């Protein structure tokens, strides 16, 4: 089996007016933080991860297919989109996931162990195969300036 590498990227704006929706990153709820806007739960980490897997399988899930799950079937849980992308890996296995998050808030670093655990459960790979880093990028971009969150993800499969 060949080694393959996929890259995925996503970003969402904060919706500072939505007081009911929770901020979710990597399947983890961040309490007392503004939620991200989007029809789904707007989990930007799971979306970047889903796109990275699509980068390997060439089966795009985010876009029309996720919209169908979300708008037609009412599925807003982004882990469902991830699992949909995961199906197309077939016999390939994920050997590593590298995630980079850019935002001003929330503070990502204290939540990294919990997020790694969450992604480990979703992907059925050990937390040691999931690296997560975070930066504010010196506030040079809208993400570092607090308007939203951007995530880039690289997945390696064998
Ligand atoms: Zn998204």
């Amino acid at each position: 089996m060949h080694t393959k590498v996929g890259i995925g990227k996503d970003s969402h704006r904060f919706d500072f007016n939505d007081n009911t929706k929770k901020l979710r990153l990597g399947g983890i709820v961040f309490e007392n933080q503004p939620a991200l806007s989007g029809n789904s739960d707007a989990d930007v980490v799971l979306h970047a991860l889903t796109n990275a897997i699509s980068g390997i399988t060439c089966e795009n899930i985010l876009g029309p297919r996720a919209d169908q799950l979300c708008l037609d079937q009412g599925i807003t849980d982004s882990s469902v989109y991830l699992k949909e992308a995961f199906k197309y890996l077939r016999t390939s296995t994920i050997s590593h996931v590298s995630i980079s998050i850019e935002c001003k808030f929330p503070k990502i670093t204290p939540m990294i162990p919990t997020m790694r655990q969450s992604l480990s459960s979703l992907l059925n790979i050990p937390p040691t195969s999931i690296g997560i880093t975070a930066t504010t990028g010196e506030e040079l971009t809208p993400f570092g300036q607090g308007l939203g969150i951007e995530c880039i993800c690289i997945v390696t499969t064998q």
Side-chain angles (χ1 to χ4, degrees):
M1 194 65 81
H2 296 295
T3 297
K4 292 187 177 183
V5 176
I7 186 168
K9 181 173 180 278
D10 195 36
S11 55
H12 283 262
R13 285 176 180 276
F14 285 118
D15 182 350
F16 295 103
N17 297 316
D18 190 336
N19 297 318
T20 53
K21 194 174 179 180
K22 300 255 188 201
L23 175 64
R24 283 179 180 273
L25 296 174
I28 297 297
V29 171
F30 283 63
E31 297 289 351
N32 305 314
Q33 297 290 335
L36 292 168
S37 68
N39 292 321
S40 70
D41 61 13
D43 190 322
V44 69
V45 173
L46 292 190
H47 291 183
L49 178 54
T50 301
N51 277 339
I53 292 172
S54 291
I56 289 171
T57 62
C58 307
E59 291 283 347
N60 295 358
I61 304 302
L62 296 187
R65 287 163 75 170
D67 286 349
Q68 194 181 18
L69 288 170
C70 182
L71 301 174
D72 297 350
Q73 298 181 45
I75 298 168
T76 58
D77 180 348
S78 294
S79 70
V80 176
Y81 316 152
L82 175 63
K83 282 174 187 148
E84 189 64 19
F86 193 85
K87 269 193 335 204
Y88 292 95
L89 283 174
R90 305 185 197 282
T91 56
S92 300
T93 56
I94 294 176
S95 49
H96 198 82
V97 173
S98 177
I99 289 169
S100 170
I101 300 168
E102 182 171 336
C103 61
K104 184 172 188 175
F105 49 80
K107 285 258 177 285
I108 301 295
T109 303
M111 294 295 279
I112 285 177
T114 317
M115 291 169 70
R116 289 172 72 211
Q117 199 62 54
S118 165
L119 295 172
S120 165
S121 304
L122 285 171
L123 298 171
N124 201 23
I125 59 173
T128 47
S129 299
I130 303 165
I132 302 175
T133 60
T135 181
T136 62
E138 290 194 334
E139 304 188 2
L140 286 168
T141 71
F143 310 107
Q145 290 158 12
L147 296 182
I149 303 179
E150 182 181 60
C151 183
I152 295 170
C153 178
I154 291 177
V155 169
T156 310
T157 62
Q158 283 175 335

